[in-house]
Amino acid sequence: MGNEDIIYSEHKRLSNCAGKSILILCGGPSVNNVSWENLSHDTVWSCNQFYLNEKIKDKKLDLVTVAAGLV
């Protein structure tokens, strides 16, 4: 499914996330400036260059997405 700007589809594994709390960590300045470590959550997601941030590079992540061509 999609249009000229985006390609998307519903993945069956994401249905497990319905009704859950998701913490999304990306690796930018807010990861260093916000006290997120003790937030209650069911799952942790991240994207793109999260692995460059020392605070989350070794954290267990349940979902990672990477988009090509981002600066």
Side-chain angles (χ1 to χ4, degrees):
M1 297 188 322
N3 60 36
E4 65 184 42
D5 296 320
I6 189 168
I7 299 170
Y8 58 89
S9 65
E10 182 178 336
H11 195 285
K12 62 183 175 183
R13 290 186 62 195
L14 295 180
S15 65
N16 295 339
C17 298
K20 304 277 175 108
S21 62
I22 300 169
L23 177 62
I24 301 174
L25 302 172
C26 293
S30 63
V31 170
N32 296 323
N33 298 331
V34 175
S35 299
W36 53 268
E37 294 88 348
N38 296 319
L39 293 176
S40 177
H41 57 276
D42 297 312
T43 187
V44 181
W45 294 2
S46 194
C47 60
N48 296 327
Q49 297 179 344
F50 66 91
Y51 53 85
L52 296 176
N53 188 294
E54 290 294 321
K55 287 182 78 172
I56 60 173
K57 72 176 189 176
D58 295 322
K59 180 140 185 74
K60 180 191 175 297
L61 302 172
D62 301 300
L63 176 74
V64 173
T65 60
V66 179
L70 295 178
V71 178

